[in-house]
Structure formats: structure tokens, C-alpha cells
Amino acid sequence: MIVRDLKPNTKLVGVSITYKEYDTFKLHIFSTTKSRIDLPEDELSQVKRLEVRDAEAYYFLNNGTAHLIWIEEGFSRALQYELIGKQVSEEILIQIAETMSN
């Protein structure tokens, strides 16, 4: 067992937003020091590489759930975004991502 002292601080490291209308969409945003996106091996064959918001992005389906993942640089740290939707097309996820503002 690993135990560590969780000292309170005011630094935000991530956020998860769920939007429930028509269908459910989730958006996860968190700071990252990684310059890569890790995916399980069984999903790698289904991954489509594209560009979203001037960043390299990856789209894949997992059991009817669509995922769009990208990392944006240029902030005080890199931010990783994951937009998830059930029974939604790739085009809809890209449209939602492109209309997001900073």
C-alpha cells in the first residue's frame, strides 16, 4: 500500500464536464506533461489520426462510444482534452471541439 500526504492546494489539475441533452457528452480537460496520448493496444487498430483546433488529434470508437483526444500547447502547461459521446458521429465531436473557445 502506498500512502501519501495530500496537502490542500489551489492548483487545478483537471476538470470533467458532463452535458446531458439529447445524448450525454463528456469533456475531460487536465494538465499534462506528456507529449503523447496513450491508448490501449486493442483500440490502436481503430484509431483515426486527424487535426482539431490546430492540434494533432485522435478519434476512435469503443463499444459504441466515440472518443476524440488532443493536446494543446501554448498555455502555462499543456492541456489534454478528451471529448466523449455515445452513439455520436466523428463529425459531431469535431464540430463541438472546433466551436470551443479558450
Side-chain angles (χ1 to χ4, degrees):
M1 176 189 291
I2 298 173
V3 178
R4 62 181 196 157
D5 187 13
L6 296 176
K7 297 178 181 160
N9 68 49
T10 59
K11 184 186 282 187
L12 179 65
V13 294
V15 65
S16 178
I17 301 168
T18 301
Y19 176 72
K20 293 183 181 180
E21 174 123 2
Y22 308 113
D23 267 322
T24 297
F25 292 94
K26 290 184 181 180
L27 174 62
H28 301 279
I29 306 170
F30 55 92
S31 62
T32 182
T33 57
K34 295 180 180 181
S35 60
R36 66 186 189 280
I37 297 171
D38 295 320
L39 298 172
E41 278 191 44
D42 61 332
E43 294 170 351
L44 289 177
S45 64
Q46 304 168 18
V47 174
K48 182 176 181 182
R49 188 175 172 182
L50 42 96
E51 188 171 304
V52 171
R53 296 170 49 92
D54 297 323
E56 184 177 36
Y58 297 91
Y59 170 84
F60 65 96
L61 282 172
N62 182 351
N63 295 324
T65 301
H67 297 257
L68 182 63
I69 301 173
W70 72 99
I71 295 175
E72 292 186 14
E73 306 275 349
F75 300 94
S76 58
R77 13 177 53 167
L79 294 177
Q80 179 171 321
Y81 296 80
E82 182 175 9
L83 185 56
I84 304 165
K86 288 191 177 258
Q87 307 298 327
V88 64
S89 70
E90 169 188 347
E91 292 78 18
I92 295 293
L93 287 184
I94 292 170
Q95 181 182 8
I96 291 169
E98 292 290 354
T99 58
M100 292 170 39
S101 61
N102 293 339

